[in-house]
Amino acid sequence: MKNGPAKIYGVLGNPIGHSLSPVMHNAAFKAEGVNGRYVAFESSDLKGSIVGMRALGICGMSVTIPFKTAVIPHLDRLDPLAEEIGAVNTILNRDGRLTGYNTDGLGAMKALEAVMDLMGKRCLMVGAGGAARGIGFMARERGMTLLVANRSKDRGRELAAFLKSPFIPLEEIADLKADVLIQTTPVGMFPHQNASPVPDFVLQEGMVVLDAIYNALETLLLKTAQARGCLTIGGLEMFIHQGAEQFRLWTGLNPPLDIMRNAVSSALSKQQGAS
Ligand code: NAP
Protein backbone atom coordinates (compact mmCIF):
# COMPACT_ATOMS: atom_id res chain seq x y z
CA MET A 1 0.00 0.00 0.00
CA LYS A 2 2.81 2.42 0.82
CA ASN A 3 4.84 1.80 -2.40
CA GLY A 4 4.08 1.34 -6.11
CA PRO A 5 2.13 3.60 -8.47
CA ALA A 6 -0.23 6.20 -6.98
CA LYS A 7 -3.68 4.82 -6.19
CA ILE A 8 -6.59 7.08 -7.04
CA TYR A 9 -9.54 7.70 -4.70
CA GLY A 10 -12.30 10.27 -4.86
CA VAL A 11 -15.65 11.61 -3.82
CA LEU A 12 -18.62 11.39 -6.17
CA GLY A 13 -21.49 13.83 -5.78
CA ASN A 14 -23.24 16.87 -7.21
CA PRO A 15 -22.48 19.59 -6.24
CA ILE A 16 -19.06 18.75 -4.82
CA GLY A 17 -17.13 22.03 -5.08
CA HIS A 18 -16.94 22.74 -1.33
CA SER A 19 -16.28 19.15 -0.25
CA LEU A 20 -13.76 18.87 2.58
CA SER A 21 -13.07 15.20 1.83
CA PRO A 22 -10.10 15.78 -0.53
CA VAL A 23 -8.21 17.87 2.01
CA MET A 24 -8.96 15.35 4.78
CA HIS A 25 -7.99 12.21 2.86
CA ASN A 26 -4.95 13.67 1.12
CA ALA A 27 -3.63 14.83 4.51
CA ALA A 28 -4.18 11.32 5.89
CA PHE A 29 -2.44 9.67 2.92
CA LYS A 30 0.53 11.99 3.28
CA ALA A 31 0.82 11.48 7.02
CA GLU A 32 0.75 7.69 6.70
CA GLY A 33 3.05 7.57 3.66
CA VAL A 34 0.28 6.14 1.45
CA ASN A 35 0.95 6.72 -2.23
CA GLY A 36 -2.64 7.80 -2.92
CA ARG A 37 -4.41 10.83 -4.42
CA TYR A 38 -7.97 11.78 -3.56
CA VAL A 39 -9.96 13.85 -6.07
CA ALA A 40 -13.44 15.45 -6.15
CA PHE A 41 -15.57 14.12 -9.02
CA GLU A 42 -18.68 16.19 -9.75
CA SER A 43 -20.99 14.26 -12.05
CA SER A 44 -24.60 14.15 -13.15
CA ASP A 45 -24.05 10.71 -14.76
CA LEU A 46 -24.00 8.18 -11.93
CA LYS A 47 -23.96 5.05 -14.11
CA GLY A 48 -21.16 6.43 -16.30
CA SER A 49 -19.17 7.43 -13.21
CA ILE A 50 -19.24 3.91 -11.80
CA VAL A 51 -18.35 2.41 -15.20
CA GLY A 52 -15.45 4.89 -15.22
CA MET A 53 -14.42 3.89 -11.71
CA ARG A 54 -14.13 0.28 -12.84
CA ALA A 55 -12.42 1.09 -16.16
CA LEU A 56 -9.85 3.40 -14.60
CA GLY A 57 -9.19 1.22 -11.57
CA ILE A 58 -10.13 3.92 -9.05
CA CYS A 59 -9.49 2.17 -5.74
CA GLY A 60 -12.09 3.79 -3.51
CA MET A 61 -14.85 6.36 -3.68
CA SER A 62 -16.80 8.38 -1.14
CA VAL A 63 -20.40 8.84 -2.27
CA THR A 64 -22.45 11.86 -1.29
CA ILE A 65 -25.67 13.72 -2.13
CA PRO A 66 -27.56 12.89 -4.33
CA PHE A 67 -26.17 9.39 -5.01
CA LYS A 68 -26.10 7.55 -1.67
CA THR A 69 -29.11 5.36 -2.46
CA ALA A 70 -29.10 5.51 -6.26
CA VAL A 71 -25.58 4.05 -6.44
CA ILE A 72 -26.63 0.70 -4.93
CA PRO A 73 -27.77 -1.08 -8.15
CA HIS A 74 -24.45 -0.24 -9.80
CA LEU A 75 -22.34 -2.11 -7.22
CA ASP A 76 -21.42 -5.82 -7.04
CA ARG A 77 -21.91 -6.28 -3.32
CA LEU A 78 -23.16 -4.48 -0.24
CA ASP A 79 -21.79 -4.70 3.25
CA PRO A 80 -24.68 -5.94 5.48
CA LEU A 81 -24.89 -2.60 7.35
CA ALA A 82 -25.19 -0.58 4.11
CA GLU A 83 -27.79 -3.05 2.89
CA GLU A 84 -29.83 -2.67 6.07
CA ILE A 85 -29.64 1.14 5.99
CA GLY A 86 -30.22 1.28 2.22
CA ALA A 87 -27.51 3.88 1.63
CA VAL A 88 -23.83 3.80 0.66
CA ASN A 89 -21.25 6.50 1.43
CA THR A 90 -18.13 4.44 0.63
CA ILE A 91 -17.10 2.16 -2.25
CA LEU A 92 -14.12 -0.17 -2.09
CA ASN A 93 -12.77 -1.52 -5.38
CA ARG A 94 -11.16 -4.88 -4.68
CA ASP A 95 -9.74 -6.39 -7.89
CA GLY A 96 -12.55 -4.90 -9.95
CA ARG A 97 -15.38 -5.89 -7.60
CA LEU A 98 -17.12 -2.89 -6.06
CA THR A 99 -18.47 -3.20 -2.51
CA GLY A 100 -20.63 -0.52 -0.87
CA TYR A 101 -20.30 0.41 2.80
CA ASN A 102 -21.85 3.04 5.05
CA THR A 103 -19.66 4.78 7.63
CA ASP A 104 -21.92 7.79 8.41
CA GLY A 105 -23.69 6.25 11.40
CA LEU A 106 -20.48 4.73 12.72
CA GLY A 107 -18.87 8.19 12.47
CA ALA A 108 -21.55 9.62 14.74
CA MET A 109 -21.20 6.76 17.24
CA LYS A 110 -17.41 7.10 17.37
CA ALA A 111 -17.78 10.85 18.03
CA LEU A 112 -20.19 10.13 20.91
CA GLU A 113 -18.18 7.18 22.28
CA ALA A 114 -15.19 9.48 22.66
CA VAL A 115 -17.07 11.22 25.51
CA MET A 116 -19.55 8.68 26.92
CA ASP A 117 -20.72 5.10 27.21
CA LEU A 118 -23.77 4.65 24.96
CA MET A 119 -25.38 1.44 26.25
CA GLY A 120 -28.82 2.09 27.76
CA LYS A 121 -28.74 5.86 27.18
CA ARG A 122 -31.90 7.66 26.08
CA CYS A 123 -31.38 9.45 22.78
CA LEU A 124 -33.60 12.03 21.12
CA MET A 125 -32.84 12.17 17.41
CA VAL A 126 -34.12 15.21 15.52
CA GLY A 127 -34.65 14.64 11.79
CA ALA A 128 -35.61 11.63 9.69
CA GLY A 129 -33.60 12.01 6.47
CA GLY A 130 -30.66 10.08 5.07
CA ALA A 131 -28.21 10.93 7.86
CA ALA A 132 -30.79 10.10 10.56
CA ARG A 133 -31.38 6.65 9.07
CA GLY A 134 -27.75 5.56 9.44
CA ILE A 135 -27.22 7.29 12.76
CA GLY A 136 -30.44 5.92 14.25
CA PHE A 137 -29.62 2.40 13.12
CA MET A 138 -26.19 2.52 14.71
CA ALA A 139 -27.56 4.13 17.90
CA ARG A 140 -29.92 1.15 18.29
CA GLU A 141 -27.04 -1.23 17.55
CA ARG A 142 -25.08 0.42 20.36
CA GLY A 143 -27.92 -0.24 22.81
CA MET A 144 -29.36 3.26 23.02
CA THR A 145 -33.08 3.86 23.52
CA LEU A 146 -34.20 6.03 20.65
CA LEU A 147 -36.94 8.61 20.13
CA VAL A 148 -37.37 10.03 16.63
CA ALA A 149 -38.59 13.63 16.27
CA ASN A 150 -39.31 15.11 12.86
CA ARG A 151 -41.11 18.02 11.23
CA SER A 152 -43.07 15.96 8.71
CA LYS A 153 -45.01 13.26 10.48
CA ASP A 154 -45.15 10.70 7.65
CA ARG A 155 -41.40 10.64 7.17
CA GLY A 156 -40.79 10.63 10.92
CA ARG A 157 -43.19 7.76 11.53
CA GLU A 158 -41.69 5.74 8.69
CA LEU A 159 -38.16 6.06 10.08
CA ALA A 160 -39.33 5.41 13.65
CA ALA A 161 -41.02 2.19 12.47
CA PHE A 162 -37.83 1.12 10.66
CA LEU A 163 -35.86 1.79 13.86
CA LYS A 164 -38.52 0.08 16.04
CA SER A 165 -38.66 3.25 18.13
CA PRO A 166 -41.35 5.78 19.05
CA PHE A 167 -42.02 8.88 16.96
CA ILE A 168 -42.76 12.33 18.33
CA PRO A 169 -43.68 15.42 16.26
CA LEU A 170 -40.94 18.06 16.39
CA GLU A 171 -43.26 20.65 17.96
CA GLU A 172 -43.89 18.34 20.94
CA ILE A 173 -40.34 17.71 22.16
CA ALA A 174 -40.11 20.62 24.62
CA ASP A 175 -40.74 18.56 27.79
CA LEU A 176 -38.67 15.52 26.86
CA LYS A 177 -35.86 14.23 29.00
CA ALA A 178 -32.96 12.58 27.22
CA ASP A 179 -29.29 11.82 27.88
CA VAL A 180 -28.28 12.58 24.31
CA LEU A 181 -29.67 14.80 21.57
CA ILE A 182 -28.57 14.17 17.98
CA GLN A 183 -29.51 16.90 15.54
CA THR A 184 -29.61 15.68 11.91
CA THR A 185 -31.54 18.40 10.03
CA PRO A 186 -29.82 21.07 7.91
CA VAL A 187 -31.25 23.84 10.14
CA GLY A 188 -28.33 26.00 11.30
CA MET A 189 -26.01 25.32 8.36
CA PHE A 190 -23.68 28.08 7.14
CA PRO A 191 -24.62 30.85 6.31
CA HIS A 192 -27.79 30.43 8.43
CA GLN A 193 -26.08 29.75 11.77
CA ASN A 194 -28.72 31.75 13.64
CA ALA A 195 -31.41 29.10 13.26
CA SER A 196 -31.97 26.09 15.52
CA PRO A 197 -34.54 23.30 15.03
CA VAL A 198 -35.12 22.68 18.77
CA PRO A 199 -36.45 24.88 21.59
CA ASP A 200 -33.80 25.94 24.13
CA PHE A 201 -35.50 24.32 27.13
CA VAL A 202 -35.01 20.81 25.68
CA LEU A 203 -31.32 21.36 26.38
CA GLN A 204 -30.78 20.31 29.97
CA GLU A 205 -27.61 20.46 32.01
CA GLY A 206 -25.47 17.35 31.60
CA MET A 207 -27.00 16.33 28.27
CA VAL A 208 -24.66 15.41 25.40
CA VAL A 209 -25.59 17.26 22.20
CA LEU A 210 -24.27 16.21 18.78
CA ASP A 211 -25.06 18.42 15.80
CA ALA A 212 -24.43 16.60 12.49
CA ILE A 213 -23.91 19.92 10.69
CA TYR A 214 -20.22 20.43 9.92
CA ASN A 215 -20.09 23.38 7.57
CA ALA A 216 -20.60 25.74 10.47
CA LEU A 217 -18.05 25.01 13.18
CA GLU A 218 -20.40 26.24 15.92
CA THR A 219 -24.14 26.24 15.22
CA LEU A 220 -26.65 28.15 17.33
CA LEU A 221 -27.78 24.82 18.80
CA LEU A 222 -24.26 24.05 20.00
CA LYS A 223 -23.74 27.56 21.40
CA THR A 224 -27.04 27.43 23.29
CA ALA A 225 -26.39 23.89 24.51
CA GLN A 226 -22.99 24.88 25.83
CA ALA A 227 -24.45 27.91 27.63
CA ARG A 228 -27.04 25.62 29.27
CA GLY A 229 -24.42 23.20 30.64
CA CYS A 230 -24.53 20.49 27.96
CA LEU A 231 -21.50 18.70 26.57
CA THR A 232 -21.39 19.54 22.87
CA ILE A 233 -19.95 17.73 19.85
CA GLY A 234 -19.82 19.38 16.43
CA GLY A 235 -20.57 17.61 13.15
CA LEU A 236 -16.91 17.97 12.26
CA GLU A 237 -16.13 15.12 14.67
CA MET A 238 -18.72 12.91 12.96
CA PHE A 239 -17.34 13.90 9.58
CA ILE A 240 -13.76 13.08 10.62
CA HIS A 241 -14.78 9.71 12.03
CA GLN A 242 -16.82 8.68 8.98
CA GLY A 243 -13.79 9.63 6.85
CA ALA A 244 -11.46 7.79 9.22
CA GLU A 245 -13.48 4.60 8.77
CA GLN A 246 -13.26 5.06 4.98
CA PHE A 247 -9.48 5.41 5.28
CA ARG A 248 -9.36 2.21 7.33
CA LEU A 249 -11.43 0.31 4.73
CA TRP A 250 -9.34 1.51 1.80
CA THR A 251 -5.85 1.19 3.29
CA GLY A 252 -6.16 -1.27 6.17
CA LEU A 253 -4.23 1.28 8.26
CA ASN A 254 -5.21 3.10 11.45
CA PRO A 255 -6.44 6.58 10.49
CA PRO A 256 -4.43 9.61 11.71
CA LEU A 257 -7.40 11.36 13.37
CA ASP A 258 -5.60 14.48 14.58
CA ILE A 259 -4.06 15.14 11.16
CA MET A 260 -7.45 14.71 9.49
CA ARG A 261 -9.15 16.99 12.03
CA ASN A 262 -6.54 19.75 11.67
CA ALA A 263 -6.67 19.62 7.87
CA VAL A 264 -10.47 19.92 7.78
CA SER A 265 -10.68 22.61 10.49
CA SER A 266 -8.20 24.87 8.76
CA ALA A 267 -9.82 24.37 5.32
CA LEU A 268 -13.23 25.11 6.81
CA SER A 269 -12.01 28.27 8.54
CA LYS A 270 -10.51 29.46 5.24
CA GLN A 271 -13.72 28.64 3.30
CA GLN A 272 -15.89 30.52 5.78
CA GLY A 273 -13.48 33.43 6.03
CA ALA A 274 -13.61 33.80 2.24
CA SER A 275 -17.44 33.78 2.04
P1 NAP B 1 -32.10 15.00 4.25
O1 NAP B 1 -32.12 13.56 3.87
O2 NAP B 1 -32.55 16.02 3.27
O3 NAP B 1 -33.02 15.13 5.59
C1 NAP B 1 -33.29 16.37 6.14
C2 NAP B 1 -34.09 16.24 7.45
O4 NAP B 1 -34.14 17.52 8.03
C3 NAP B 1 -35.53 15.78 7.27
O5 NAP B 1 -35.91 15.02 8.38
C4 NAP B 1 -36.29 17.12 7.25
O6 NAP B 1 -37.60 17.03 7.77
C5 NAP B 1 -35.49 17.93 8.22
N1 NAP B 1 -35.63 19.36 7.96
C6 NAP B 1 -35.23 20.03 6.84
N2 NAP B 1 -35.52 21.34 6.97
C7 NAP B 1 -36.12 21.50 8.19
C8 NAP B 1 -36.63 22.62 8.89
N3 NAP B 1 -36.58 23.86 8.36
N4 NAP B 1 -37.15 22.42 10.12
C9 NAP B 1 -37.21 21.19 10.66
N5 NAP B 1 -36.74 20.07 10.04
C10 NAP B 1 -36.19 20.23 8.82
O7 NAP B 1 -30.66 15.45 4.71
P2 NAP B 1 -29.46 14.52 5.29
O8 NAP B 1 -28.69 13.95 4.15
O9 NAP B 1 -30.03 13.62 6.31
O10 NAP B 1 -28.49 15.62 5.94
C11 NAP B 1 -28.93 16.37 7.07
C12 NAP B 1 -27.76 17.14 7.68
O11 NAP B 1 -26.77 16.23 8.16
C13 NAP B 1 -27.04 18.06 6.69
O12 NAP B 1 -26.72 19.26 7.35
C14 NAP B 1 -25.78 17.29 6.36
O13 NAP B 1 -24.70 18.16 6.00
C15 NAP B 1 -25.51 16.63 7.70
N6 NAP B 1 -24.64 15.44 7.56
C16 NAP B 1 -23.48 15.45 8.26
C17 NAP B 1 -22.62 14.37 8.16
C18 NAP B 1 -21.32 14.42 8.93
O14 NAP B 1 -20.45 13.60 8.66
N7 NAP B 1 -21.18 15.31 9.91
C19 NAP B 1 -22.94 13.27 7.37
C20 NAP B 1 -24.15 13.28 6.68
C21 NAP B 1 -25.00 14.39 6.78
P3 NAP B 1 -38.88 16.77 6.84
O15 NAP B 1 -39.02 15.29 6.77
O16 NAP B 1 -39.97 17.45 7.57
O17 NAP B 1 -38.57 17.40 5.51
Side-chain angles (χ1 to χ4, degrees):
M1 191 67 223
K2 295 195 178 191
N3 301 309
K7 294 184 185 249
I8 304 299
Y9 299 82
V11 53
L12 178 63
N14 195 352
I16 207 69
H18 285 94
S19 173
L20 295 162
S21 293
V23 89
M24 174 171 69
H25 282 294
N26 283 320
F29 287 157
K30 192 171 170 204
E32 293 305 306
V34 173
N35 190 9
R37 307 281 182 280
Y38 186 105
V39 188
F41 295 111
E42 183 165 302
S43 172
S44 50
D45 176 3
L46 174 60
K47 187 176 172 195
S49 301
I50 300 300
V51 170
M53 180 178 180
R54 291 180 195 274
L56 298 172
I58 292 171
C59 298
M61 196 78 93
S62 308
V63 182
T64 187
I65 291 171
F67 299 134
K68 286 187 180 186
T69 301
V71 75
I72 290 175
H74 302 287
L75 305 177
D76 300 309
R77 220 190 124 246
L78 282 186
D79 172 69
L81 176 63
E83 185 161 18
E84 189 83 41
I85 296 170
V88 161
N89 80 329
T90 312
I91 306 173
L92 170 62
N93 184 351
R94 201 182 278 118
D95 302 325
R97 274 177 64 77
L98 305 188
T99 304
Y101 296 83
N102 194 309
T103 68
D104 280 333
L106 188 55
M109 294 308 111
K110 294 250 173 190
L112 285 172
E113 280 166 342
V115 301
M116 70 188 298
D117 183 18
L118 303 183
M119 178 60 76
K121 296 293 187 315
R122 191 171 151 88
C123 173
L124 171 62
M125 183 171 70
V126 178
R133 202 170 170 86
I135 293 172
F137 188 84
M138 288 305 295
R140 294 271 287 128
E141 289 271 298
R142 290 293 203 263
M144 297 180 97
T145 307
L146 200 59
L147 252 172
V148 178
N150 195 48
R151 177 180 63 177
S152 76
K153 296 184 179 58
D154 287 353
R155 201 172 180 190
R157 282 201 187 97
E158 191 188 314
L159 181 66
F162 169 72
L163 296 171
K164 299 184 177 58
S165 301
F167 166 72
I168 180 156
L170 191 52
E171 65 273 15
E172 290 173 25
I173 64 173
D175 298 327
L176 281 176
K177 302 251 180 300
D179 303 304
V180 181
L181 185 142
I182 305 181
Q183 193 305 106
T184 73
T185 80
V187 181
M189 275 170 72
F190 181 80
H192 305 290
Q193 297 103 311
N194 291 329
S196 167
V198 303
D200 292 359
F201 30 95
V202 159
L203 306 166
Q204 287 139 8
E205 195 174 351
M207 195 181 220
V208 175
V209 178
L210 167 64
D211 195 335
I213 290 173
Y214 62 89
N215 69 348
L217 279 172
E218 213 185 11
T219 56
L220 177 62
L221 171 68
L222 292 182
K223 277 188 204 150
T224 312
Q226 207 160 22
R228 292 176 65 89
C230 305
L231 180 61
T232 58
I233 307 171
L236 190 66
E237 279 306 296
M238 174 180 162
F239 180 74
I240 303 297
H241 281 287
Q242 63 78 33
E245 294 312 307
Q246 297 183 320
F247 180 88
R248 201 190 298 281
L249 281 167
W250 292 331
T251 67
L253 301 172
N254 280 330
L257 277 172
D258 288 342
I259 301 271
M260 296 169 90
R261 184 179 295 112
N262 290 341
V264 175
S265 301
S266 69
L268 197 53
S269 305
K270 273 189 211 139
Q271 257 183 25
Q272 294 183 1
S275 299

